[in-house]
Amino acid sequence: MLTPRQAQLAFTPLMVAAMSGVISFAMTLLNHGAAPGLLRVWLQQWPVAFAVALPAALVIVPSMRALLARLTRADASDRARRLGSMG
């Protein structure tokens, strides 16, 4: 089992692997067509997509989290907890 910290660190690379795989397959299918050799071409392109997407995600994800944290307001139950409520 992973600790919460390990799970947090594993999230971005795993999400990038899944998303780059799906997107690179879709783009390979569109460009190559459902012709013989599709799988081979896709498996050659996927590492390239991953190599581009991982560094981008490592920069973009923290920036988006920070932006969303600034744009998110606490609801009433969060404010009550911060004020020392027993709820």
Coordinates of all heavy atoms in Angstrom, one line a residue:
M1 N 0.8 -1.2 0.0 CA 0.0 0.0 0.0 C 0.9 1.3 0.0 O 1.9 1.3 0.6 CB -0.9 0.0 1.2 CG -2.0 -0.9 1.2 SD -3.0 -0.7 -0.2 CE -4.5 -0.3 0.5
L2 N 0.4 2.3 -0.7 CA 1.1 3.5 -0.7 C 0.6 4.4 0.4 O -0.5 4.4 0.9 CB 0.7 4.2 -2.0 CG 1.2 3.6 -3.3 CD1 0.7 4.4 -4.5 CD2 2.7 3.4 -3.4
T3 N 1.5 5.3 0.8 CA 1.2 6.3 1.8 C 0.5 7.4 1.0 O 0.6 7.5 -0.2 CB 2.4 6.9 2.5 OG1 3.2 7.6 1.5 CG2 3.2 5.8 3.2
P4 N -0.3 8.3 1.6 CA -0.9 9.4 0.9 C 0.1 10.2 0.1 O -0.2 10.7 -1.0 CB -1.6 10.2 2.0 CG -1.9 9.2 3.1 CD -0.7 8.3 3.0
R5 N 1.3 10.5 0.7 CA 2.3 11.2 0.0 C 2.8 10.5 -1.3 O 3.0 11.1 -2.3 CB 3.5 11.5 0.9 CG 4.6 12.3 0.3 CD 4.3 13.7 0.1 NE 5.4 14.4 -0.4 CZ 5.4 15.4 -1.3 NH1 4.2 15.8 -1.7 NH2 6.4 15.9 -1.7
Q6 N 3.0 9.2 -1.1 CA 3.5 8.4 -2.3 C 2.4 8.4 -3.4 O 2.7 8.5 -4.6 CB 3.8 7.0 -1.9 CG 5.0 6.8 -1.0 CD 5.1 5.4 -0.4 OE1 4.2 4.8 -0.1 NE2 6.4 5.0 -0.3
A7 N 1.1 8.3 -3.0 CA 0.0 8.3 -4.0 C 0.0 9.7 -4.7 O -0.2 9.7 -5.9 CB -1.3 8.0 -3.3
Q8 N 0.2 10.7 -3.9 CA 0.2 12.1 -4.5 C 1.3 12.2 -5.5 O 1.1 12.8 -6.6 CB 0.3 13.1 -3.4 CG 0.2 14.5 -3.9 CD 0.3 15.5 -2.8 OE1 0.7 15.2 -1.7 NE2 0.0 16.8 -3.0
L9 N 2.5 11.7 -5.2 CA 3.6 11.8 -6.1 C 3.5 10.9 -7.3 O 3.9 11.2 -8.4 CB 4.9 11.4 -5.4 CG 5.4 12.3 -4.3 CD1 6.6 11.8 -3.6 CD2 5.8 13.7 -5.0
A10 N 2.7 9.8 -7.2 CA 2.5 8.8 -8.3 C 1.4 9.3 -9.2 O 1.4 8.9 -10.4 CB 2.2 7.4 -7.8
F11 N 0.5 10.2 -8.8 CA -0.6 10.5 -9.6 C -0.3 11.2 -10.9 O -0.8 10.7 -12.0 CB -1.5 11.5 -8.8 CG -2.7 12.0 -9.6 CD1 -3.8 11.2 -9.7 CD2 -2.6 13.2 -10.2 CE1 -4.9 11.6 -10.5 CE2 -3.7 13.7 -11.0 CZ -4.8 12.9 -11.1
T12 N 0.6 12.2 -10.9 CA 0.9 12.9 -12.2 C 1.5 11.9 -13.2 O 1.1 11.9 -14.4 CB 1.7 14.1 -11.9 OG1 1.0 15.0 -11.1 CG2 2.1 14.8 -13.2
P13 N 2.6 11.2 -12.9 CA 3.2 10.3 -13.9 C 2.2 9.2 -14.4 O 2.2 8.9 -15.6 CB 4.4 9.6 -13.2 CG 4.7 10.5 -12.1 CD 3.4 11.2 -11.7
L14 N 1.3 8.7 -13.5 CA 0.4 7.7 -14.0 C -0.7 8.3 -14.9 O -1.1 7.8 -15.9 CB -0.3 7.0 -12.8 CG 0.7 6.1 -12.0 CD1 0.0 5.6 -10.7 CD2 1.1 4.9 -12.9
M15 N -1.2 9.5 -14.5 CA -2.2 10.2 -15.3 C -1.6 10.6 -16.7 O -2.2 10.4 -17.7 CB -2.7 11.4 -14.6 CG -3.8 12.2 -15.4 SD -5.2 11.1 -15.8 CE -6.1 11.4 -14.3
V16 N -0.3 11.0 -16.7 CA 0.3 11.4 -17.9 C 0.5 10.1 -18.8 O 0.3 10.2 -20.0 CB 1.7 12.1 -17.7 CG1 2.5 12.1 -18.9 CG2 1.5 13.5 -17.1
A17 N 0.8 9.0 -18.2 CA 1.0 7.8 -19.0 C -0.3 7.4 -19.7 O -0.4 7.1 -20.9 CB 1.5 6.6 -18.1
A18 N -1.4 7.5 -18.9 CA -2.7 7.1 -19.4 C -3.2 8.1 -20.5 O -3.6 7.7 -21.6 CB -3.8 7.0 -18.3
M19 N -3.1 9.4 -20.2 CA -3.5 10.4 -21.2 C -2.7 10.4 -22.4 O -3.2 10.5 -23.5 CB -3.6 11.8 -20.5 CG -4.6 11.9 -19.4 SD -6.3 11.6 -20.0 CE -6.5 12.9 -21.1
S20 N -1.4 10.3 -22.3 CA -0.5 10.3 -23.5 C -0.7 9.1 -24.3 O -0.7 9.2 -25.5 CB 1.0 10.5 -23.1 OG 1.4 9.4 -22.4
G21 N -1.0 8.0 -23.7 CA -1.4 6.8 -24.4 C -2.6 6.9 -25.2 O -2.7 6.6 -26.4
V22 N -3.7 7.4 -24.6 CA -5.0 7.6 -25.3 C -4.8 8.6 -26.4 O -5.3 8.3 -27.5 CB -6.1 8.0 -24.3 CG1 -7.3 8.4 -25.0 CG2 -6.3 6.9 -23.3
I23 N -4.3 9.7 -26.1 CA -4.2 10.8 -27.1 C -3.2 10.4 -28.3 O -3.6 10.6 -29.4 CB -3.7 12.1 -26.5 CG1 -4.9 12.6 -25.5 CG2 -3.4 13.2 -27.5 CD1 -4.5 13.8 -24.6
S24 N -2.1 9.8 -27.9 CA -1.2 9.4 -29.0 C -1.8 8.3 -29.9 O -1.6 8.3 -31.1 CB 0.2 8.9 -28.5 OG 0.0 7.8 -27.7
F25 N -2.6 7.4 -29.3 CA -3.3 6.4 -30.1 C -4.3 7.0 -31.0 O -4.4 6.7 -32.2 CB -4.0 5.3 -29.2 CG -4.7 4.3 -30.0 CD1 -4.0 3.3 -30.6 CD2 -6.1 4.3 -30.2 CE1 -4.6 2.3 -31.3 CE2 -6.7 3.4 -31.0 CZ -5.9 2.3 -31.5
A26 N -5.1 8.0 -30.5 CA -6.1 8.7 -31.3 C -5.4 9.4 -32.5 O -5.9 9.3 -33.6 CB -6.9 9.6 -30.5
M27 N -4.3 10.1 -32.2 CA -3.6 10.8 -33.2 C -3.0 9.9 -34.2 O -3.0 10.2 -35.4 CB -2.6 11.8 -32.6 CG -3.2 12.9 -31.8 SD -4.5 13.8 -32.6 CE -3.6 14.6 -33.9
T28 N -2.4 8.8 -33.8 CA -1.8 7.8 -34.7 C -2.9 7.2 -35.6 O -2.7 7.0 -36.8 CB -1.1 6.7 -33.9 OG1 -0.1 7.3 -33.1 CG2 -0.4 5.7 -34.8
L29 N -4.0 6.9 -35.0 CA -5.2 6.3 -35.7 C -5.6 7.3 -36.8 O -5.9 6.9 -38.0 CB -6.3 5.9 -34.8 CG -7.5 5.3 -35.5 CD1 -7.2 4.0 -36.1 CD2 -8.6 5.1 -34.4
L30 N -5.7 8.6 -36.4 CA -6.2 9.6 -37.4 C -5.2 9.8 -38.5 O -5.5 9.9 -39.7 CB -6.4 10.9 -36.7 CG -7.6 11.0 -35.8 CD1 -7.6 12.3 -35.0 CD2 -8.9 10.9 -36.7
N31 N -3.9 9.8 -38.2 CA -2.8 10.0 -39.2 C -2.4 8.8 -40.0 O -2.1 8.9 -41.2 CB -1.6 10.6 -38.5 CG -1.8 12.0 -38.1 OD1 -2.5 12.8 -38.7 ND2 -1.4 12.3 -36.8
H32 N -2.5 7.6 -39.3 CA -2.0 6.4 -40.0 C -3.2 5.6 -40.5 O -3.1 4.8 -41.5 CB -1.2 5.5 -38.9 CG -0.6 4.3 -39.5 ND1 -1.2 3.1 -39.5 CD2 0.6 4.1 -40.0 CE1 -0.4 2.2 -40.0 NE2 0.7 2.8 -40.3
G33 N -4.4 5.8 -39.9 CA -5.5 5.0 -40.3 C -5.5 3.6 -39.6 O -4.5 3.2 -39.0
A34 N -6.6 2.9 -39.8 CA -6.6 1.5 -39.2 C -6.0 0.5 -40.1 O -6.5 -0.5 -40.5 CB -8.1 1.1 -38.9
A35 N -4.8 0.8 -40.5 CA -4.0 0.0 -41.5 C -3.1 -1.0 -40.7 O -2.8 -0.7 -39.5 CB -3.2 0.9 -42.4
P36 N -2.6 -2.0 -41.4 CA -1.6 -2.8 -40.8 C -0.4 -2.0 -40.2 O 0.0 -1.0 -40.9 CB -1.2 -3.8 -41.9 CG -2.3 -3.8 -42.9 CD -2.9 -2.4 -42.8
G37 N 0.1 -2.4 -39.1 CA 1.2 -1.6 -38.5 C 0.8 -0.5 -37.6 O 1.7 0.1 -37.0
L38 N -0.5 -0.3 -37.4 CA -1.0 0.7 -36.5 C -0.4 0.6 -35.1 O 0.1 1.5 -34.5 CB -2.5 0.7 -36.4 CG -3.2 1.7 -35.4 CD1 -2.9 3.1 -35.7 CD2 -4.7 1.4 -35.3
L39 N -0.5 -0.6 -34.5 CA 0.0 -0.8 -33.2 C 1.5 -0.5 -33.1 O 1.9 0.1 -32.1 CB -0.3 -2.3 -32.7 CG 0.1 -2.6 -31.3 CD1 -0.7 -1.8 -30.3 CD2 -0.2 -4.1 -31.0
R40 N 2.3 -1.0 -34.0 CA 3.7 -0.7 -34.0 C 4.0 0.8 -34.1 O 4.8 1.3 -33.3 CB 4.4 -1.4 -35.2 CG 5.9 -1.2 -35.3 CD 6.5 -1.8 -36.6 NE 5.8 -1.4 -37.8 CZ 6.0 -0.2 -38.4 NH1 6.9 0.7 -37.8 NH2 5.4 0.1 -39.5
V41 N 3.3 1.5 -35.0 CA 3.5 2.9 -35.1 C 3.1 3.6 -33.8 O 3.9 4.5 -33.3 CB 2.8 3.5 -36.3 CG1 2.8 5.0 -36.3 CG2 3.3 2.9 -37.6
W42 N 2.0 3.2 -33.2 CA 1.5 3.9 -32.0 C 2.5 3.6 -30.9 O 2.9 4.6 -30.1 CB 0.2 3.3 -31.6 CG -0.3 3.7 -30.2 CD1 -0.4 5.0 -29.7 CD2 -0.7 2.9 -29.2 NE1 -0.8 5.0 -28.4 CE2 -1.0 3.7 -28.0 CE3 -0.8 1.5 -29.0 CZ2 -1.4 3.1 -26.8 CZ3 -1.2 0.9 -27.8 CH2 -1.5 1.8 -26.7
L43 N 3.1 2.4 -30.7 CA 4.0 2.1 -29.7 C 5.3 2.8 -29.8 O 6.1 3.0 -28.9 CB 4.2 0.6 -29.5 CG 3.0 -0.2 -29.0 CD1 3.2 -1.7 -29.0 CD2 2.6 0.3 -27.6
Q44 N 5.6 3.2 -31.1 CA 6.8 4.1 -31.3 C 6.6 5.5 -30.9 O 7.5 6.2 -30.5 CB 7.3 4.0 -32.8 CG 7.8 2.7 -33.2 CD 8.1 2.6 -34.7 OE1 7.5 3.3 -35.4 NE2 8.9 1.6 -35.0
Q45 N 5.3 6.0 -31.1 CA 5.0 7.4 -30.8 C 4.7 7.7 -29.4 O 4.8 8.8 -28.9 CB 3.8 7.8 -31.7 CG 4.1 7.7 -33.2 CD 5.3 8.5 -33.6 OE1 5.4 9.7 -33.2 NE2 6.2 8.0 -34.4
W46 N 4.1 6.7 -28.7 CA 3.7 6.9 -27.3 C 4.9 7.4 -26.4 O 4.7 8.3 -25.6 CB 3.1 5.6 -26.7 CG 2.4 5.7 -25.4 CD1 2.3 6.8 -24.6 CD2 1.7 4.7 -24.7 NE1 1.6 6.6 -23.5 CE2 1.3 5.2 -23.5 CE3 1.5 3.4 -25.0 CZ2 0.5 4.5 -22.6 CZ3 0.7 2.6 -24.1 CH2 0.3 3.2 -22.9
P47 N 6.0 6.8 -26.5 CA 7.1 7.3 -25.6 C 7.5 8.8 -25.9 O 7.8 9.6 -25.0 CB 8.3 6.4 -25.9 CG 7.7 5.2 -26.4 CD 6.5 5.6 -27.2
V48 N 7.3 9.2 -27.1 CA 7.6 10.6 -27.5 C 6.5 11.5 -26.8 O 6.9 12.5 -26.2 CB 7.6 10.8 -29.0 CG1 7.7 12.3 -29.4 CG2 8.7 9.9 -29.7
A49 N 5.3 11.1 -26.9 CA 4.2 11.8 -26.3 C 4.4 11.9 -24.8 O 4.2 13.0 -24.2 CB 2.8 11.2 -26.6
F50 N 4.8 10.8 -24.2 CA 5.0 10.8 -22.7 C 6.2 11.7 -22.4 O 6.1 12.5 -21.4 CB 5.3 9.4 -22.3 CG 5.5 9.3 -20.8 CD1 4.4 9.2 -19.9 CD2 6.8 9.2 -20.2 CE1 4.6 9.1 -18.5 CE2 6.9 9.2 -18.9 CZ 5.8 9.1 -18.0
A51 N 7.2 11.7 -23.2 CA 8.4 12.5 -22.9 C 8.1 14.0 -23.0 O 8.7 14.8 -22.3 CB 9.6 12.2 -23.8
V52 N 7.1 14.4 -23.8 CA 6.7 15.8 -23.9 C 5.7 16.1 -22.8 O 5.8 17.2 -22.2 CB 6.1 16.0 -25.3 CG1 5.5 17.4 -25.3 CG2 7.1 15.9 -26.4
A53 N 4.8 15.2 -22.5 CA 3.7 15.5 -21.6 C 4.1 15.5 -20.1 O 3.6 16.3 -19.3 CB 2.6 14.4 -21.8
L54 N 5.1 14.6 -19.7 CA 5.4 14.6 -18.3 C 6.1 15.9 -17.8 O 5.6 16.4 -16.8 CB 6.4 13.4 -18.0 CG 6.7 13.2 -16.5 CD1 5.5 13.0 -15.7 CD2 7.7 12.0 -16.4
P55 N 7.1 16.4 -18.5 CA 7.7 17.7 -18.0 C 6.6 18.8 -18.0 O 6.6 19.7 -17.1 CB 8.8 18.0 -18.9 CG 9.1 16.7 -19.6 CD 7.9 15.9 -19.6
A56 N 5.8 18.8 -19.1 CA 4.7 19.8 -19.1 C 3.8 19.7 -18.0 O 3.5 20.7 -17.3 CB 4.0 19.7 -20.5
A57 N 3.4 18.5 -17.6 CA 2.5 18.3 -16.5 C 3.1 18.7 -15.2 O 2.5 19.2 -14.3 CB 2.0 16.8 -16.5
L58 N 4.4 18.4 -15.0 CA 5.1 18.7 -13.8 C 5.2 20.2 -13.5 O 5.2 20.6 -12.4 CB 6.5 18.1 -13.8 CG 6.5 16.5 -13.7 CD1 7.9 16.0 -13.8 CD2 5.9 16.0 -12.4
V59 N 5.1 21.0 -14.6 CA 5.1 22.4 -14.5 C 3.6 22.9 -14.4 O 3.3 23.8 -13.5 CB 5.8 23.1 -15.7 CG1 5.6 24.6 -15.7 CG2 7.3 22.7 -15.7
I60 N 2.8 22.4 -15.2 CA 1.4 22.9 -15.3 C 0.5 22.5 -14.1 O -0.2 23.4 -13.6 CB 0.8 22.5 -16.6 CG1 1.5 23.1 -17.8 CG2 -0.7 22.8 -16.7 CD1 1.1 22.6 -19.2
V61 N 0.6 21.3 -13.6 CA -0.3 20.8 -12.6 C -0.1 21.7 -11.3 O -1.2 22.2 -10.8 CB -0.1 19.3 -12.3 CG1 -0.8 18.9 -11.0 CG2 -0.6 18.5 -13.4
P62 N 1.1 21.9 -10.8 CA 1.1 22.8 -9.6 C 0.6 24.2 -9.8 O 0.0 24.8 -9.0 CB 2.6 22.8 -9.3 CG 3.2 21.6 -9.9 CD 2.4 21.4 -11.1
S63 N 0.8 24.7 -11.0 CA 0.3 26.1 -11.4 C -1.2 26.1 -11.4 O -1.8 27.0 -10.8 CB 0.8 26.5 -12.7 OG 2.2 26.5 -12.7
M64 N -1.8 25.1 -11.9 CA -3.3 25.0 -12.0 C -3.9 24.8 -10.6 O -4.9 25.4 -10.2 CB -3.7 23.8 -12.9 CG -3.5 24.1 -14.3 SD -4.4 25.5 -14.9 CE -3.0 26.6 -15.2
R65 N -3.2 24.0 -9.7 CA -3.6 23.8 -8.4 C -3.6 25.1 -7.6 O -4.5 25.5 -6.9 CB -2.8 22.8 -7.6 CG -3.1 21.4 -8.0 CD -2.4 20.4 -7.2 NE -2.7 19.0 -7.6 CZ -1.9 18.0 -7.5 NH1 -0.7 18.1 -7.0 NH2 -2.3 16.8 -7.9
A66 N -2.5 25.9 -7.8 CA -2.4 27.2 -7.1 C -3.5 28.1 -7.6 O -4.1 28.8 -6.8 CB -1.0 27.8 -7.3
L67 N -3.7 28.2 -8.9 CA -4.7 29.1 -9.5 C -6.1 28.7 -8.9 O -6.9 29.5 -8.5 CB -4.7 29.0 -11.0 CG -5.8 29.7 -11.7 CD1 -5.7 31.2 -11.5 CD2 -5.8 29.4 -13.2
L68 N -6.4 27.4 -9.0 CA -7.7 27.0 -8.5 C -7.9 27.2 -7.0 O -9.0 27.5 -6.5 CB -8.0 25.5 -8.8 CG -8.2 25.2 -10.3 CD1 -8.2 23.7 -10.6 CD2 -9.4 25.9 -10.8
A69 N -6.8 27.1 -6.2 CA -6.9 27.4 -4.8 C -7.2 28.8 -4.5 O -8.0 29.2 -3.7 CB -5.5 27.0 -4.1
R70 N -6.7 29.7 -5.4 CA -7.0 31.1 -5.3 C -8.4 31.5 -5.7 O -9.0 32.4 -5.2 CB -6.0 32.0 -6.1 CG -4.7 32.2 -5.3 CD -3.8 33.2 -6.1 NE -2.7 32.4 -6.6 CZ -2.4 32.3 -7.9 NH1 -3.0 33.0 -8.8 NH2 -1.4 31.6 -8.3
L71 N -8.9 30.7 -6.6 CA -10.3 30.9 -7.1 C -11.4 30.2 -6.4 O -12.6 30.4 -6.7 CB -10.4 30.5 -8.6 CG -9.4 31.3 -9.6 CD1 -9.5 30.8 -11.0 CD2 -9.8 32.8 -9.6
T72 N -11.0 29.4 -5.4 CA -12.0 28.6 -4.7 C -12.3 29.2 -3.4 O -11.4 29.7 -2.6 CB -11.4 27.2 -4.4 OG1 -11.1 26.6 -5.7 CG2 -12.4 26.3 -3.7
R73 N -13.6 29.3 -3.1 CA -14.0 29.9 -1.8 C -14.4 28.8 -0.9 O -15.0 27.8 -1.3 CB -15.1 30.9 -2.0 CG -16.4 30.4 -2.6 CD -17.4 31.6 -2.7 NE -18.4 31.2 -3.6 CZ -19.5 30.5 -3.2 NH1 -19.6 30.1 -2.0 NH2 -20.4 30.2 -4.1
A74 N -14.2 28.9 0.4 CA -14.6 27.9 1.4 C -16.1 28.0 1.6 O -16.7 29.1 1.5 CB -13.9 28.2 2.7
D75 N -16.7 26.8 1.8 CA -18.1 26.8 2.1 C -18.4 27.1 3.5 O -17.4 27.1 4.3 CB -18.8 25.6 1.6 CG -18.4 24.3 2.3 OD1 -17.7 24.4 3.3 OD2 -18.7 23.2 1.8
A76 N -19.6 27.2 4.0 CA -19.9 27.5 5.3 C -19.4 26.5 6.3 O -18.9 26.9 7.4 CB -21.4 27.7 5.5
S77 N -19.4 25.2 6.0 CA -18.9 24.2 7.0 C -17.4 24.4 7.2 O -16.9 24.2 8.3 CB -19.3 22.8 6.5 OG -18.6 22.5 5.3
D78 N -16.7 24.7 6.1 CA -15.2 24.9 6.3 C -14.9 26.1 7.1 O -14.0 26.1 8.0 CB -14.6 25.1 4.9 CG -14.5 23.9 4.1 OD1 -14.6 22.8 4.7 OD2 -14.3 24.0 2.8
R79 N -15.7 27.2 6.9 CA -15.5 28.4 7.8 C -15.8 28.1 9.2 O -15.1 28.6 10.1 CB -16.3 29.6 7.2 CG -15.8 30.2 6.0 CD -16.5 31.5 5.7 NE -17.9 31.3 5.3 CZ -18.3 31.1 4.1 NH1 -17.5 31.0 3.1 NH2 -19.6 31.0 3.9
A80 N -16.8 27.4 9.5 CA -17.2 27.0 10.8 C -16.1 26.2 11.5 O -15.8 26.5 12.7 CB -18.5 26.3 10.9
R81 N -15.6 25.3 10.8 CA -14.5 24.4 11.4 C -13.3 25.3 11.7 O -12.6 25.1 12.8 CB -14.1 23.3 10.4 CG -14.8 22.1 10.7 CD -14.3 20.9 9.8 NE -15.5 20.6 9.0 CZ -15.4 20.5 7.7 NH1 -14.3 20.6 7.0 NH2 -16.5 20.2 7.0
R82 N -12.9 26.2 10.9 CA -11.8 27.1 11.1 C -12.0 28.0 12.3 O -11.1 28.5 13.0 CB -11.4 27.9 9.9 CG -10.6 27.1 8.9 CD -10.1 27.9 7.8 NE -11.0 27.8 6.7 CZ -11.6 28.8 6.0 NH1 -11.2 30.0 6.3 NH2 -12.4 28.6 5.1
L83 N -13.3 28.3 12.6 CA -13.6 29.2 13.7 C -13.7 28.5 15.0 O -14.1 29.0 16.0 CB -14.9 30.0 13.4 CG -14.9 30.9 12.3 CD1 -16.2 31.5 12.0 CD2 -13.9 32.0 12.6
G84 N -13.4 27.2 15.1 CA -13.4 26.4 16.3 C -14.7 25.7 16.6 O -14.9 25.2 17.7
S85 N -15.5 25.5 15.6 CA -16.8 24.8 15.8 C -16.5 23.3 16.1 O -15.5 22.8 15.6 CB -17.6 24.9 14.6 OG -18.8 24.1 14.6
M86 N -17.4 22.7 16.8 CA -17.2 21.3 17.2 C -17.8 20.4 16.0 O -17.7 19.2 16.1 CB -18.0 21.0 18.5 CG -17.4 21.7 19.7 SD -15.7 21.2 20.0 CE -15.9 19.5 20.6
G87 N -18.4 21.0 15.0 CA -18.9 20.2 13.9 C -17.9 19.7 13.0 O -17.8 18.8 12.3

